[in-house]
Amino acid sequence: MSSRLPSSFDQDSDFYIESRTQKVLRRLREEPLVPFGCALTCYALYRASSSMRTADHNQTNRMFRARIYAQAFTLVAIYVGSQYYAEDRKKRKEVEGIVSEKKAAEKRDAWIRELEHRDREEREEREERDRVRGERARMVAKEDGKAKMVLEERERRIGVLDAVRSLGWR
């Protein structure tokens, strides 16, 4: 991602959202003595194992001591580097916190927009259903009205004598 972080760090080009490889390369540039100490330790172990194969006890002991010194050098480099870059790490954590809050707010806003969209769709569907039900009710009422009119018309045509006959002959 190459987008810039919040404006309070606009002047500082180190404060970008970085990938893992960018982070590793940045850390190697910031603390070059730590990987150097690790390389010295590995070299001392390699030399110690090769001297053990050749049965050179003197060289083996020297390389194990060198390994201890290389590990001590690495630990000192880690401690000094952590003290030296402590304030930068604190700033970086603040920036990462701001970025994570911003992402959380964007997620929340997107979720709210989605819920509003769903609510609007549901409301439209409900209104459409109510409209269709209303039309059906009007059609039924019209049909009921027509049926009543037909019955009234029949009653008018029958006359009084026919009505009395229909009552008595049932």
Side-chain angles (χ1 to χ4, degrees):
M1 239 186 208
S2 64
S3 64
R4 295 185 61 80
L5 292 178
S7 62
S8 61
F9 295 99
D10 277 346
Q11 305 304 326
D12 196 349
S13 62
D14 288 336
F15 291 101
Y16 289 98
I17 299 174
E18 56 191 1
S19 67
R20 289 182 185 206
T21 55
Q22 289 173 333
K23 183 176 182 177
V24 167
L25 292 175
R26 178 183 52 81
R27 296 294 296 262
L28 286 175
R29 281 191 308 270
E30 287 178 356
E31 301 181 44
L33 296 179
V34 173
F36 180 69
C38 290
L40 285 178
T41 303
C42 290
Y43 178 72
L45 281 173
Y46 170 74
R47 291 291 307 265
S49 68
S50 64
S51 65
M52 280 194 296
R53 275 185 253 129
T54 59
D56 186 1
H57 300 292
N58 208 4
Q59 179 72 11
T60 302
N61 286 332
R62 272 192 310 221
M63 286 298 111
F64 278 133
R65 284 188 207 114
R67 177 192 60 88
I68 291 171
Y69 298 141
Q71 284 178 328
F73 173 79
T74 305
L75 289 176
V76 168
I78 289 172
Y79 178 75
V80 170
S82 69
Q83 294 302 313
Y84 183 76
Y85 289 106
E87 189 172 323
D88 288 342
R89 288 197 181 102
K90 183 180 175 185
K91 285 182 185 177
R92 188 167 300 281
K93 283 193 179 208
E94 289 173 3
V95 169
E96 288 173 357
I98 291 169
V99 168
S100 66
E101 288 174 7
K102 187 176 180 181
K103 284 182 181 179
E106 288 174 359
K107 276 185 178 181
R108 187 188 69 240
D109 292 342
W111 178 245
I112 289 172
R113 281 193 306 272
E114 177 69 22
L115 288 176
E116 288 172 348
H117 180 71
R118 288 181 182 181
D119 188 44
R120 191 172 35 254
E121 284 179 347
E122 188 176 311
R123 203 175 320 120
E124 290 171 357
E125 288 175 2
R126 196 176 316 123
E127 289 171 358
E128 180 66 19
R129 258 183 282 149
D130 291 345
R131 186 186 61 77
V132 168
R133 285 180 184 159
E135 287 177 6
R136 286 183 184 159
R138 280 191 294 271
M139 289 174 62
V140 168
K142 273 186 179 179
E143 290 175 4
D144 285 347
K146 286 181 183 178
K148 284 182 182 179
M149 287 175 56
V150 168
L151 288 174
E152 289 173 1
E153 185 66 32
R154 282 187 186 161
E155 287 176 4
R156 277 189 234 140
R157 271 193 242 151
I158 294 176
V160 177
L161 287 175
D162 291 330
V164 171
R165 267 191 232 148
S166 66
L167 288 174
W169 294 79
R170 281 189 194 175

